[in-house]
Amino acid sequence: MDIQVFNTKDELNRAFTEKVKEMVSNKKKDVVTIALSGGSTPKSLFDYWAQLPENEINWEKVKFFWGDERCVPPSDDESNYKMTKEHLFDFVPVPEENIFRILGENDPATEAGRYGELLNRELETMNGMPSFDILMLGMGDDGHTASIFPHEINLWNYPDNCVTATHPVSGQKRVSLSGEVINAAKNVFFLVTGENKADKVKEIIEQPDTAKKKYPAALVQPESENLHWFLDGEAAKLLSQPTSPD
Ligand code: 6PG
């Protein structure tokens, strides 16, 4: 498990971008598949990508997917797709055919089935599971990741590629990758910032055995073993061995 702590969000975004650039510039790969996380953390990353020099990343090689989506229309302010369009796609030349949004306007169970099949068609497989090249994850201050929440931690082992979930407070329906697909990714990056995440970051990194019983984020253990926690100082402040900021 690679844990890196950065002084600022900007440094974190730059470091993650370097990893993405490395993979996209790999001549052996014609396409790089990335699953984006939603919520507020990725906004500053997408804003950073939007101001990069035009040829910094060959976006035409990148196929964009999501780790989860709120079951709302793409025009809704709650939509992860809408947020990504407004902070990224409106500024960088991503071919329309490279954007595979979860159709939040559809019936959740139907969409979970459709998206799960789409992943089987679009992604390389690892041990029979669709495998993303890069999987971005956020973590809620309750220890959820993607849209698998602690009160529905049983969804983690759901046999299908995608599950339908429910936000514990708002009751909002979500479509999310299941734990099996999350752990089949070749490279998993948690991008976690903010003091409100610090206690769960500490518990998950320092007491994984108890954390695994409570928090879906603690169950992220990719087969590839390429798991990276990119933290800002606030989110890392309670760690016993504070990793020096990069
Ligand atoms: C979502 C996300 C979710 C998010 C965490 C952290 O759809 O909300 O995919 O898993 O990553 O809730 O959200 P923040 O970045 O807003 O703290």
Side-chain angles (χ1 to χ4, degrees):
M1 185 189 292
D2 165 43
I3 300 164
Q4 297 192 38
V5 179
F6 302 90
N7 286 321
T8 64
K9 276 189 187 178
D10 206 40
E11 286 174 17
L12 186 156
N13 292 335
R14 228 196 317 275
F16 176 60
T17 303
E18 284 309 307
K19 297 286 187 185
V20 174
K21 262 173 71 175
E22 210 175 291
M23 288 179 232
V24 176
S25 54
N26 178 346
K27 298 264 183 294
K28 294 193 200 112
K29 284 191 78 70
D30 297 333
V31 170
V32 172
T33 57
I34 183 168
L36 303 175
S37 58
S40 55
T41 303
K43 282 181 189 168
S44 65
L45 172 72
F46 298 158
D47 290 341
Y48 177 68
W49 285 355
Q51 57 77 53
L52 288 176
E54 205 158 309
N55 56 4
E56 184 91 5
I57 295 184
N58 177 6
W59 295 112
E60 297 194 359
K61 271 185 75 173
V62 183
K63 285 189 174 181
F64 290 89
F65 302 79
W66 278 262
D68 67 320
E69 182 57 279
R70 292 80 180 279
C71 293
V72 293
S75 56
D76 190 301
D77 283 345
E78 277 285 300
S79 163
N80 287 332
Y81 166 76
K82 180 171 186 277
M83 181 273 285
T84 311
K85 182 176 183 307
E86 290 175 346
H87 290 266
L88 180 62
F89 297 145
D90 286 349
F91 303 96
V92 299
V94 177
E96 201 54 41
E97 64 271 19
N98 283 19
I99 298 172
F100 299 85
R101 74 177 178 90
I102 297 172
L103 306 180
E105 65 274 31
N106 278 3
D107 164 72
T110 308
E111 182 56 16
R114 185 197 73 87
Y115 206 71
E117 283 311 305
L118 181 148
L119 297 181
N120 286 331
R121 288 195 308 275
E122 290 294 333
L123 302 182
E124 294 170 344
T125 53
M126 179 188 283
N127 302 331
M129 294 301 297
S131 174
F132 287 103
D133 291 313
I134 304 168
L135 176 67
M136 260 174 75
L137 289 174
M139 184 189 74
D141 54 14
D142 61 355
H144 82 259
T145 193
S147 276
I148 301 189
F149 295 89
H151 76 296
E152 292 178 326
I153 196 165
N154 59 303
L155 289 178
W156 186 265
N157 294 312
Y158 198 76
D160 288 356
N161 291 341
C162 293
V163 296
T164 57
T166 308
H167 190 282
V169 177
S170 66
Q172 184 185 63
K173 286 296 180 194
R174 306 277 187 94
V175 170
S176 175
L177 299 182
S178 65
E180 267 196 316
V181 173
I182 287 172
N183 282 334
K186 298 178 189 65
N187 300 280
V188 181
F189 291 85
F190 268 111
L191 308 185
V192 181
T193 60
E195 185 176 14
N196 61 320
K197 313 287 175 78
D199 64 330
K200 298 295 184 298
V201 163
K202 177 180 179 62
E203 194 171 346
I204 289 171
I205 287 176
E206 297 182 353
Q207 298 166 311
D209 291 342
T210 49
K212 275 189 287 198
K213 297 188 182 89
K214 299 185 282 186
Y215 311 127
L219 298 173
V220 176
Q221 293 162 328
E223 307 280 318
S224 65
E225 298 190 358
N226 295 328
L227 174 59
H228 307 272
W229 285 82
F230 277 21
L231 306 167
D232 72 349
E234 286 298 292
K237 70 191 294 185
L238 299 178
L239 289 177
S240 313
Q241 313 290 335
T243 322
S244 59
D246 260 35

